[in-house]
């Protein structure tokens, strides 16, 4: 009776593991995601940008502006016009990055790219479930600046979109196979338990055959095997990244 109950539990776990495996295999999609483009500064070739963003697996909002303003308390000791402008630009990154994040939230997309034409500043932001780190977002910002020439915002943006597409796709694939491997590990563990259960039935193994010395050894060996469970913490900060920079 106990054997049958144990075997039923193991079989249930095996079926559950297989279901998780099949589910994880079905989560990887390559469908084009939603995109929203607002070229307020009139500097983009919209059709080319749409083509460049078409293969992204995540929804994206892109906007340009030449009239970005924000509230600021100018220190009374700053009276020179150049000093005022430098002070404003020192505040701009934080303000425009926040504005881009808010734009992403308002338009309910996974990624947002904001371009301030007046100040020549670009911000790339993403939500938490996008596999994009701050470092990778910063590199995408740098690619925009590297490819920006002759006021050609479209070419620079296309290069940035290509980089984002490659990075996100690579990271998504890595996450996918990591999940598959975890499920396969569970399947292997359950299969071993089933094998042990069947063999114990065939050869007549039972708990009554185990002496105290065996139980003590078995119990002590289980006490030190959880050190690897915290390894996932190393992935902290590898998603939901964002960055900005002047170009």
């Amino acid at each position: 009776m106990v054997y049958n109950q144990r075997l039923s539990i193991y079989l249930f776990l095996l079926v559950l593991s297989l279901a998780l495996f099949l589910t994880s295999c079905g989560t990887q999609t390559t469908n084009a995601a939603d995109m929203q483009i607002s070229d307020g500064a009139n500097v983009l070739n919209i059709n080319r940008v749409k083509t460049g963003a078409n293969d992204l697996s995540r929804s994206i909002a892109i906007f340009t502006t030449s009239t970005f303003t924000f509230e600021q308390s100018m220190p009374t000791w700053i009276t020179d016009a150049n000093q005022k402008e430098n002070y404003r630009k020192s505040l701009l990154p934080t303000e425009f990055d926040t504005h881009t994040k808010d734009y992403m939230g308002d338009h309910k997309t996974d990624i947002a790219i904001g371009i301030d034409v007046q100040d020549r500043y670009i911000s790339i932001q993403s939500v938490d479930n996008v596999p994009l780190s701050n470092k990778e977002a910063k590199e995408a910002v740098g690619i925009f600046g590297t490819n920006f020439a002759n006021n050609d915002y479209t070419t620079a943006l296309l290069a940035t979109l290509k980089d984002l597409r490659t990075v996100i796709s690579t990271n998504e694939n890595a996450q996918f196979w990591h999940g598959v491997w975890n499920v396969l590990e569970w399947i292997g563990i359950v299969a071993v338990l089933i094998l042990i259960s069947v063999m114990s039935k065939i050869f007549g193994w039972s708990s009554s055959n185990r002496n105290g010395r065996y139980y003590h050894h078995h119990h002590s060996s289980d006490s030190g095997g959880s050190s690897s469970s915290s390894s996932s913490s190393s992935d902290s900060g590898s998603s939901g990244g964002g960055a900005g920079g002047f170009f």
Side-chain angles (χ1 to χ4, degrees), residues 49-134:
V49 173
K50 285 182 177 180
T51 300
N54 190 54
D55 292 334
L56 274 173
S57 61
R58 302 303 182 104
S59 58
I60 186 170
I62 300 171
F63 71 92
T64 66
T65 178
S66 58
T67 58
F68 178 68
T69 59
F70 56 91
E71 294 183 6
Q72 54 183 313
S73 299
M74 188 69 64
T76 56
W77 56 269
I78 297 180
T79 57
D80 181 75
N82 290 332
Q83 289 180 329
K84 288 182 177 180
E85 181 60 19
N86 290 335
Y87 180 75
R88 175 184 175 277
K89 283 200 170 184
S90 70
L91 302 178
L92 178 70
T94 299
E95 296 292 338
F96 195 71
D97 287 348
T98 300
H99 177 68
T100 303
K101 289 179 182 178
D102 292 341
Y103 191 93
M104 178 175 61
D106 293 341
H107 290 76
K108 296 179 174 58
T109 58
D110 297 328
I111 304 170
I113 298 178
I115 302 174
D116 179 1
V117 174
Q118 176 184 356
D119 297 296
R120 291 184 50 158
Y121 186 88
I122 180 174
S123 178
I124 300 174
Q125 305 297 328
S126 65
V127 297
D128 289 342
N129 65 353
V130 175
L132 180 73
S133 67
N134 291 336

Side-chain angles (χ1 to χ4, degrees), residues 23-68:
T23 300
S24 66
C25 288
T27 56
Q28 198 178 37
T29 60
T30 56
N31 295 329
D34 177 51
M35 72 179 77
Q36 303 175 45
I37 303 174
S38 175
D39 185 19
N42 195 30
V43 294
L44 297 176
N45 183 319
I46 300 297
N47 290 331
R48 289 181 63 196
V49 173
K50 285 182 177 180
T51 300
N54 190 54
D55 292 334
L56 274 173
S57 61
R58 302 303 182 104
S59 58
I60 186 170
I62 300 171
F63 71 92
T64 66
T65 178
S66 58
T67 58
F68 178 68

Side-chain angles (χ1 to χ4, degrees), residues 139-243:
E139 289 172 350
V141 167
I143 287 175
F144 184 93
T146 300
N147 288 272
F148 181 76
N150 301 320
N151 285 328
D152 188 352
Y153 287 84
T154 299
T155 298
L157 182 56
L158 289 175
T160 301
L161 290 171
K162 180 180 179 181
D163 176 72
L164 290 174
R165 181 169 62 248
T166 300
V167 169
I168 292 174
S169 177
T170 300
N171 292 342
E172 284 178 335
N173 287 334
Q175 288 182 344
F176 169 76
W177 288 112
H178 179 71
V180 168
W181 178 252
N182 285 339
V183 174
L184 289 176
E185 283 184 329
W186 273 107
I187 292 175
I189 291 172
V190 174
V192 169
L193 290 174
I194 292 175
L195 179 61
I196 293 174
S197 181
V198 171
M199 300 227 8
S200 67
K201 179 67 174 179
I202 294 174
F203 294 102
W205 299 341
S206 67
S207 59
S208 61
N209 294 329
R210 299 171 185 168
N211 56 33
R213 182 178 59 184
Y214 173 79
Y215 174 76
H216 175 74
H217 173 72
H218 179 71
H219 177 72
S220 63
S221 67
D222 289 341
S223 62
S226 61
S227 61
S228 64
S229 61
S230 62
S231 61
S232 61
S233 63
S234 63
D235 293 334
S236 177
S238 62
S239 62

